[in-house]
Structure formats: C-alpha cells, structure tokens
Amino acid sequence: MRIVAALGGNALLRRGDPLDASVQIGRIRAAVRGLAAAASGNELVITHGNGPQVGLLAVESATDPALRAPYPLDVLSAQTQGMIGYWLARELRRALPGREIVAVLSETVVAPDDPAFANPTKFIGRTYPASEAHRLQAEHGWAVRRDGAAWRRVVPSPDPRDIVELPTIARLVDDGCLVIAAGGGGVPVDPEYRGVEAVVDKDLAAALLAEHLAADMLLLLTDVPAVMRGHGTADARPIGQITPRALRAMDLPDGSMGPKAEAACRFAEHRRGAVAVIGSLTDVSAHLSGTAGTRIESE
C-alpha cells in the first residue's frame, strides 16, 4: 500500500512547549514510533508542519540588527524543511535500519492572484498577549489575529497548484525509498519559480502529493483521536466514517480541523477507492486497520 502521512504541528511542538531543539527532537522520536507501523511493508511518504519554526525564525530575522531586511518566508520555509527533514530522517533511520530514507527540499507552486494574499489566515509562530501582538504588528507590518485567548501572526496561505519535485519524489518512492517531502506545505513559489511571501497549508499540499502519487491512503495525523461531532460540547462524539459532502457540511474551525477536513475531502474525491483518515498520531496501526480515526471515503 502507498501511504502519504502528514504530521501535525503537535508532532514537533505542543501549545506551551519551549521552542528548544531538544523538545522538538523528543517529539519527533515519539512520532517516529507511530510512523514505523505505517512504514512496515508499505511505501511511505511523510510531510510535516512548520508553523512554529517559521514563526520563530521570522521573529529572529526581523529583530536581528545585522540584517538590513528580514529573510522572506519562502527562505525561512526552506530552512525549516532542512532542519525538520534532517531530524525526521535521522530518527527514522534508527527506527528502520536498512530502509533507504531521503528528505527532498520541495517547492510548491501557487498562483500570484490567489485570493489568500488579500486575506491572511495561516497562523505561524508563538502566541502573544494582545498588547505585544499589536506592538509587533506596528513594528514589522505583520497581520495578527486572535487564536483562542491569545494572539498570533497570520500570513497568506494560497492553494497549492503543483509540487515542482513531484517526478523526482515519485521515482524515489517507486525505487523503495521512504521519502520526506513537501515539509511545511513546500517552499511557496510562483509559476516562474520565484519565492512567494506565504506559507502553504501542509495538509492541502499533502493531499495534492497523495493524489499525484496515486496513494491508497492519506493519513492526517494530529493530537485528537478523530473529527468530533459537537466539538467542544458535553455531547461531543467521534465520527468513525463520513463522506466528503457530509464533512464539508460541518462547521469546522479554519485554524485547525478545517484545512485537514478539506484536504481529506479533496483526496477522497480525486482518488476514488482510496481513503483519507484524520486521527491521532499515536493510533497509526489502528488507522491502517480501520479501527480508529475518522475515515473519509467518496460515496
């Protein structure tokens, strides 16, 4: 079976975690224990988020007095792909001795006229009190938005149209390599391969990657066991199976479950007979057997 697994931000950092490398490496080691089940006897491609890491580098770049201008987001995305890809590859080699593993720096093509550029919604970086968030907004020209009780920076998140390195990724998978690709949604570029000031949603990029690789399963791994009906209420209950039409009809939050649901729907609609699963990173074996998570399949 060919599987594309997208690791949510909780694979590296949980809300309130310090941004230290040692914390992220520990989270990756825990994630790899779950991913080893998906790798056994299967073709596996892994993608990952990078919102906290891009946000950290953006703050450092914006406040470094040695720089005349901060590094753009496409460059920061490339930096985080290298860092996280290295950590994942290293831990996967330890967990899967003898398996060929490679991290591919990936670029994702977006349209310059995508409406997302006029409406930044993608959270990156740490949370701030309102006063500090608005100070940073004034100092650096950032867009900020409330995230729960705190505030965070938001940036444009245009739709992924193509992945530049897709033919190379496909050849590596066909040759039996475990591939880490499209990390953080991929480095955003325009059709002329010029960097773009944005962060692509990693779940939507994973769905595009899974579709074009003709994957049998898309795993969207997060810190909740399933999509919940009545989320946040006393009557909340997990959804075991649902169609794209029914999932899209649910009112899911844009900043968390919404993009995962949309990614799952796109994949299920474009890959008839394949399945997308949204669920916990700790339940990978159960996702493969169909006994955990929310399964999204076309009617």
Side-chain angles (χ1 to χ4, degrees):
M1 182 162 60
R2 179 168 288 186
I3 301 168
V4 172
L7 303 182
N10 64 292
L12 299 175
L13 288 167
R14 296 175 186 168
R15 192 178 290 267
D17 274 350
L19 292 170
D20 298 339
S22 59
V23 173
Q24 298 182 64
I25 292 168
R27 297 284 187 220
I28 283 181
R29 286 175 180 157
V32 164
R33 287 195 289 271
L35 291 170
S40 179
N42 297 311
E43 296 175 329
L44 180 62
V45 178
I46 298 171
T47 71
H48 58 81
N50 71 342
Q53 294 78 16
V54 163
L56 173 65
L57 293 181
V59 171
E60 292 177 346
S61 181
T63 57
D64 189 335
L67 296 176
R68 288 180 295 177
Y71 286 157
L73 287 175
D74 61 302
V75 174
L76 301 182
S77 178
Q79 290 179 347
T80 58
Q81 271 197 59
M83 176 179 71
I84 299 169
Y86 159 63
W87 284 338
L88 277 167
R90 184 179 68 183
E91 298 306 322
L92 284 162
R93 287 194 184 96
R94 290 172 173 168
L96 301 166
R99 188 78 179 262
E100 287 188 273
I101 298 164
V102 61
V104 178
L105 182 67
S106 311
E107 300 161 88
T108 298
V109 179
V110 301
D113 59 352
D114 192 298
F117 289 107
N119 181 33
T121 59
K122 182 71 173 175
F123 289 116
I124 66 168
R126 51 160 290 197
T127 60
Y128 300 98
S131 58
E132 188 174 358
H134 289 109
R135 178 183 62 78
L136 292 167
Q137 181 182 39
E139 286 182 8
H140 304 303
W142 292 353
V144 297
R145 181 174 161 186
R146 184 184 293 276
D147 181 17
W151 290 73
R152 293 176 72 189
R153 182 184 178 186
V154 288
V155 299
S157 185
D159 227 35
R161 301 296 183 91
D162 192 17
I163 295 171
V164 175
E165 293 77 15
L166 185 62
T168 303
I169 295 166
R171 286 197 299 271
L172 289 166
V173 176
D174 288 341
D175 285 343
C177 293
L178 191 163
V179 181
I180 303 157
V187 177
V189 297
D190 68 14
E192 300 298 321
Y193 309 117
R194 293 172 295 215
V196 173
E197 192 73 357
V199 172
V200 179
D201 183 83
K202 68 102 177 40
D203 293 312
L204 297 182
L208 181 66
L209 185 65
E211 177 192 345
H212 287 291
L213 290 175
D216 302 294
M217 180 177 284
L218 172 63
L219 291 177
L220 300 168
L221 302 172
T222 183
D223 58 353
V224 296
V227 181
M228 306 297 287
R229 201 178 299 279
H231 175 71
T233 71
D235 297 324
R237 61 190 188 277
I239 299 171
Q241 188 164 350
I242 194 169
T243 65
R245 181 184 301 178
L247 185 57
R248 281 202 174 100
M250 296 179 65
D251 184 20
L252 298 170
D254 291 339
S256 54
M257 190 56 74
K260 290 178 174 56
E262 178 59 25
C265 290
R266 291 186 189 185
F267 175 70
E269 289 167 342
H270 294 148
R271 282 285 295 157
R272 296 289 177 135
V275 62
V277 181
I278 300 174
S280 172
L281 178 62
T282 61
D283 293 334
V284 172
S285 294
H287 298 326
L288 298 179
S289 65
T291 58
T294 298
R295 296 174 68 84
I296 300 93
E297 298 179 79
S298 289
E299 298 167 276

